[in-house]
Amino acid sequence: MAENENGPLFETRPVKGRFFFKLFVASVAVGIGFICAYRLWFLRVASGKLHRWAWIGLFLCELWFSFYWFLTVICRWNPVYRFPYKNRLSQRYKKETLPGVDIFVCTADPSAEPPLMVMNTVLSVMAYDYPPEKLNIYLSDDGASDFTFYAMLEASSFSKQWLPFCRKFKVEPRSPEAYFKTAIEPDNHDPVKLKHWLSIKKLYEETKMRIETSRKMNKIPEDIRKQHKGFREWDFVTSRNDHQTILQILIDGRDPNAVDVEGNVLPTLVYLAREKRPQYHHHFKAGAMNALVNCDMYSNDSDSINDSLCVFMDHENGHEIAFVQYPQAFHNLTKNDLYGNSCRVFRKLEFPGFDANGGPCYIGTGCFHRREALCGKKYDETCKVDWKRLNHRRVEESASVLEATCKVLASCSFEQNSPWGKEMGLKYGCPVEDIITGLSIQCRGWKSIFLDPERESFLGIAPTTLSAMLVQHKRWAEGHFQIFLSRYCTLLYGHNRIPLQLQLCYCIGNLWAANCLPTLYYVLVPCLCLLRDIPLFPKISSPWVLPFAYVSIAHRAYSLGEFLWCGCTFQAWCNEQRMWLFKRTTSYFFAAFDTVLKLLGYSKSAFVITPKVADRDVSSRYEQELMEFDDSSPMFDVLASLAMLNMFGILGVIKKLASGADHSELPDRLGLQILLCLLLVALNWPVYKAMFYRKDKGRMPASVTYKSIIYALLVSTLTL
């Protein structure tokens, strides 16, 4: 027992079964070597200039794919898992010695992120299994919405009933909406619990109805507006992009009257809408964080803080850790993960790989930070803290005085000519400010750790339409590519600051957009060469076909094995392959294009909020796993045109085979190209259905269908 009490607060274990992975890597590397030898040896027999250039282009694409695969291998080589010991934490540290925890919740648009959703997020973190007097929740509302403020008022009132209920009945998850959606009503054997359960549910439904009614009416009733002085602030708001600082302390945890129905202290709850003026850049989410967990997510595990403290307060290694990153997970995924949103393999293998190579990147949500590291402090031995002797400073000013004096901290001019956004806080100037922020922290000598508990700590809402998913990945890929082409490129900025393996791990995301050109080439050129009878791969009867077949089959088979090991279905794996193709040919392409325009000075960075709500028809089709194409997006023009081009390639082969014996050698000479086109046609099957068969509102717009057919016919005709 004494050994356990004095032991580490978390344990590190390597992932098992890596011998087979390393054996697989070695065999694929040999196959890649044979493919390169084939490309170089047979380049001299390529007939004609067009054939030679097509061959060289394909070889360059294969070299790129091999290099990118090599990056993922480095990341996955020796992944580790972390296991916290919360029982040791509670034995070693009393409530009084635990540190204070500030939780930031950010929202930016009441239409995309409804106030009710924000309220549920806030309630879920208020209900953490942690001393409430040491818990402070800050809502940063970049939409400056009085509806969101009203939802926070309702949250402050409902929390007086909800928090005792959660403690008494060990409720999980602690978002009321998520809980009552999945919880089973108690039976009559415990009438006291049943009565309490029904009363809390009724109270929540009434709260929900008031918030949604005011939103539908687009007006907050006058009697409610008179209940709190904070509503008067909106008398001076010109627009969401032109207003003064709005700061309201809704619950002051120091106030002896701020208690729940059982007399327990409530956590502090603060609403903030930072000042915005047209002449000042507000720096999107990074600015919101610096003025002060995303609102589309909620806490799914009330022990998340304690899990993180097992890392921060570990006496051996805790002082080295700047942040603890949790995976991003979603509660609205379909059975077969229609849009490949789960990222489950990334969670189980690549993030633990990051961890083993120096620490995971900061992904902007579901993360616990050490304040001094986030505020720009470099790591040194003085960072070691004796938690039992740490003095907790108490602020004596009243809530009204704090509201008045702290408004300047959220003003437009406060950060001017200051280190904020440069050396302190989240970095400015990039759509994925979280990545460069985490990188900068690691380059100052700090480490990070990835925790993936059995119970998912945070759950969010995944995109429910194809366009929303593609736009989201376009923003991510664009931000990552901007990092790679900036001074924050890990190979430059991280040189001699972080391990080389970690630098290369960062390149996996930073080079997402760069994958678009090799992928587009592989999708387009073999199909066009097929129409002109130009072979780009070895004959089926040639022994040189073996390395191509082995690398392709082994790589995809291992990928399928990883998916099944992570608990996914075969159909989910197929959907993931489809989304892999869609993202590389659209999201990454437009991300690369916009990044180049930005470098040339023709475009500026913009922050796009992914909608968190969908209408009933869209939600119904999503639950039925029908892809949503009801948008005349340029991305759909590309998808549909590529799909039609590969369809025409297959039809051209069928026509040649049906025309006579002159083409009897075609399956042998062009077999791999035919198989590649068939695979692309299979992956694009939902696109064909949306273009020609579906009659619902989620079908492909007619304008996109007509344009794609014309584009594909034009390219095919010019090729022949």
Side-chain angles (χ1 to χ4, degrees):
M1 184 71 176
E3 181 182 348
N4 284 342
E5 288 181 0
N6 296 320
L9 293 180
F10 71 94
E11 181 184 358
T12 302
R13 301 176 196 166
V15 175
K16 296 179 180 178
R18 301 316 284 168
F19 171 77
F20 296 102
F21 171 73
K22 294 172 182 178
L23 189 64
F24 157 75
V25 167
S27 66
V28 170
V30 171
I32 290 173
F34 276 108
I35 290 173
C36 292
Y38 169 80
R39 288 294 179 201
L40 291 171
W41 182 257
F42 286 92
L43 175 61
R44 58 189 176 83
V45 299
S47 58
K49 190 174 182 180
L50 181 63
H51 190 183
R52 187 173 291 108
W53 281 112
W55 189 282
I56 292 171
L58 214 61
F59 181 34
L60 293 175
C61 291
E62 288 159 356
L63 287 177
W64 172 262
F65 292 144
S66 301
F67 166 72
Y68 195 79
W69 172 76
F70 174 70
L71 293 179
T72 65
V73 167
I74 291 174
C75 185
R76 297 183 180 200
W77 193 252
N78 284 309
V80 296
Y81 291 156
R82 312 284 187 171
F83 296 90
Y85 295 118
K86 294 189 289 286
N87 58 328
R88 295 181 185 177
L89 178 72
S90 59
Q91 291 168 2
R92 194 170 303 170
Y93 296 100
K94 295 181 180 179
K95 183 174 74 170
E96 294 76 19
T97 59
L98 292 174
V101 177
D102 295 336
I103 299 177
F104 297 160
V105 180
C106 298
T107 183
D109 185 346
S111 299
E113 299 161 335
L116 182 67
M117 183 186 297
V118 179
M119 185 191 80
N120 273 275
T121 300
V122 169
L123 286 168
S124 71
V125 295
M126 288 181 72
Y128 269 130
D129 188 10
Y130 198 72
E133 65 272 16
K134 294 180 178 288
L135 202 54
N136 307 296
I137 292 88
Y138 301 85
L139 176 76
S140 175
D141 179 16
D142 255 17
S145 168
D146 52 351
F147 294 104
T148 303
F149 177 72
Y150 171 49
M152 289 305 96
L153 278 179
E154 290 284 5
S156 65
S157 176
F158 182 66
S159 65
K160 297 176 182 179
Q161 301 279 348
W162 177 245
L163 270 59
F165 176 75
C166 291
R167 285 193 297 266
K168 184 175 182 179
F169 297 108
K170 306 295 182 184
V171 166
E172 295 288 356
R174 296 193 173 181
S175 157
E177 182 72 19
Y179 173 72
F180 287 119
K181 190 175 289 185
T182 57
I184 300 173
E185 182 178 309
D187 53 39
N188 293 324
H189 296 298
D190 191 345
V192 175
K193 181 179 179 179
L194 176 61
K195 182 180 179 181
H196 195 179
W197 194 92
L198 291 174
S199 67
I200 295 294
K201 184 178 182 182
K202 181 183 177 184
L203 189 63
Y204 173 68
E205 292 295 337
E206 291 171 350
T207 302
K208 178 179 177 179
M209 184 181 67
R210 287 194 298 272
I211 294 172
E212 291 186 333
T213 300
S214 66
R215 194 76 182 95
K216 288 177 183 176
M217 295 173 59
N218 201 30
K219 183 181 179 182
I220 296 173
E222 283 301 319
D223 60 322
I224 294 177
R225 296 184 74 92
K226 293 176 182 177
Q227 291 177 13
H228 198 280
K229 62 181 177 63
F231 283 111
R232 293 200 294 270
E233 294 280 356
W234 273 267
D235 296 336
F236 308 100
V237 172
T238 305
S239 71
R240 57 179 291 184
N241 292 315
D242 188 6
H243 60 83
Q244 78 283 8
T245 299
I246 303 174
L247 176 63
Q248 295 291 313
I249 300 176
L250 303 179
I251 300 176
D252 183 357
R254 306 165 303 160
D255 186 345
N257 296 319
V259 294
D260 61 30
V261 292
E262 294 182 354
N264 299 306
V265 177
L266 287 170
T268 295
L269 177 61
V270 179
Y271 172 91
L272 170 67
R274 61 195 172 115
E275 182 186 18
K276 285 187 181 179
R277 301 299 178 193
Q279 64 269 33
Y280 289 93
H281 197 306
H282 58 83
H283 300 294
F284 309 113
K285 179 181 167 184
M289 290 286 286
N290 286 343
L292 281 162
V293 178
N294 289 8
C295 72
D296 60 328
M297 306 191 78
Y298 63 83
S299 172
N300 191 54
D301 185 355
S302 59
D303 267 334
S304 296
I305 293 181
N306 294 317
D307 285 335
S308 302
L309 290 182
C310 286
V311 174
F312 288 122
M313 301 179 75
D314 181 72
H315 64 276
E316 291 183 7
N317 302 305
H319 61 287
E320 303 174 341
I321 308 303
F323 60 88
V324 177
Q325 180 65 63
Y326 288 80
Q328 191 170 16
F330 306 100
H331 65 80
N332 65 326
L333 298 176
T334 60
K335 177 185 176 182
N336 297 307
D337 193 12
L338 180 61
Y339 297 122
N341 287 311
S342 70
C343 304
R344 203 165 293 176
V345 173
F346 194 90
R347 281 176 52 189
K348 297 296 182 183
L349 291 172
E350 291 198 8
F351 253 122
F354 260 92
D355 201 350
N357 287 316
C361 56
Y362 167 44
I363 62 173
T365 187
C367 187
F368 289 90
H369 285 271
R370 185 187 296 269
R371 181 182 293 275
E372 57 186 352
L374 188 60
C375 290
K377 182 179 174 61
K378 290 184 178 180
Y379 171 76
D380 55 43
E381 288 302 319
T382 63
C383 296
K384 199 159 189 174
V385 178
D386 186 347
W387 296 99
K388 292 183 178 179
R389 296 184 180 180
L390 189 66
N391 292 321
H392 298 284
R393 187 175 60 183
R394 186 176 178 87
V395 178
E396 300 297 335
E397 289 89 348
S398 66
S400 58
V401 171
L402 286 174
E403 287 177 351
T405 57
C406 291
K407 282 186 178 182
V408 66
L409 302 177
S411 66
C412 290
S413 58
F414 178 75
E415 292 181 358
Q416 297 295 308
N417 302 315
S418 78
W420 284 102
K422 303 179 187 73
E423 288 85 30
M424 297 177 66
L426 270 71
K427 300 286 185 179
Y428 293 158
C430 180
V432 285
E433 66 284 323
D434 34 38
I435 299 295
I436 56 175
T437 299
L439 173 63
S440 299
I441 291 172
Q442 291 169 332
C443 287
R444 291 197 293 268
W446 295 94
K447 295 179 182 178
S448 57
I449 272 182
F450 177 69
L451 282 186
D452 189 10
E454 186 175 346
R455 181 179 179 85
E456 293 172 320
S457 296
F458 300 93
L459 289 176
I461 299 177
T464 56
T465 66
L466 182 59
S467 60
M469 186 277 290
L470 294 176
V471 168
Q472 184 182 67
H473 279 269
K474 186 255 182 187
R475 178 172 65 85
W476 290 346
E478 183 179 350
H480 275 283
F481 201 39
Q482 287 179 19
I483 292 173
F484 187 77
L485 298 177
S486 73
R487 71 185 185 93
Y488 289 108
C489 174
T490 53
L491 300 177
L492 300 175
Y493 189 74
H495 182 62
N496 289 333
R497 296 180 178 181
I498 58 175
L500 177 61
Q501 299 98 312
L502 185 57
Q503 296 174 37
L504 296 174
C505 287
Y506 268 100
C507 288
I508 295 174
N510 291 348
L511 292 172
W512 277 342
N515 279 304
C516 68
L517 293 180
T519 305
L520 282 168
Y521 191 95
Y522 232 87
V523 169
L524 274 170
V525 174
C527 172
L528 296 177
C529 288
L530 188 62
L531 291 171
R532 296 196 59 167
D533 287 348
I534 298 176
L536 296 176
F537 297 96
K539 292 181 178 180
I540 297 294
S541 58
S542 168
W544 284 104
V545 80
L546 293 177
F548 285 90
Y550 176 76
V551 170
S552 301
I553 295 172
H555 189 265
R556 290 300 88 199
Y558 195 87
S559 168
L560 174 60
E562 286 181 335
F563 252 74
L564 298 177
W565 177 74
C566 290
C568 303
T569 64
F570 173 76
Q571 184 60 48
W573 176 78
C574 294
N575 288 334
E576 175 68 22
Q577 308 312 299
R578 181 174 292 115
M579 292 305 113
W580 177 92
L581 175 68
F582 287 4
K583 287 183 290 190
R584 286 190 172 207
T585 54
T586 58
S587 301
Y588 297 174
F589 172 72
F590 285 100
F593 185 71
D594 281 359
T595 299
V596 172
L597 288 181
K598 183 177 184 296
L599 290 175
L600 296 174
Y602 293 109
S603 176
K604 293 183 179 180
S605 297
F607 187 84
V608 180
I609 302 171
T610 307
K612 309 303 186 302
V613 290
D615 64 40
R616 189 170 298 176
D617 287 345
V618 171
S619 298
S620 176
R621 286 191 291 272
Y622 176 68
E623 291 166 3
Q624 297 172 46
E625 299 197 328
L626 285 173
M627 283 193 183
E628 196 73 22
F629 292 93
D630 65 336
D631 187 7
S632 298
S633 166
M635 293 191 186
F636 290 167
D637 290 340
V638 175
L639 280 183
S641 299
L642 292 175
M644 291 308 303
L645 196 59
N646 279 278
M647 175 65 80
F648 289 159
I650 292 299
L651 293 176
V653 170
I654 294 172
K655 179 184 176 182
K656 290 174 183 177
L657 290 173
S659 62
D662 292 342
H663 299 286
S664 58
E665 85 293 350
L666 205 64
D668 182 44
R669 190 164 58 88
L670 298 172
L672 286 186
Q673 273 165 266
I674 295 172
L675 287 173
L676 177 60
C677 276
L678 283 172
L679 176 62
L680 291 169
V681 167
L683 289 174
N684 282 304
W685 185 246
V687 178
Y688 302 130
K689 287 177 65 178
M691 293 171 70
F692 303 115
Y693 301 117
R694 285 173 56 182
K695 303 299 181 185
D696 56 81
K697 291 182 179 179
R699 66 185 181 276
M700 189 75 77
S703 60
V704 175
T705 300
Y706 297 145
K707 281 190 288 185
S708 65
I709 294 173
I710 292 170
Y711 295 156
L713 281 173
L714 183 62
V715 173
S716 301
T717 303
L718 293 174
T719 302
L720 295 172

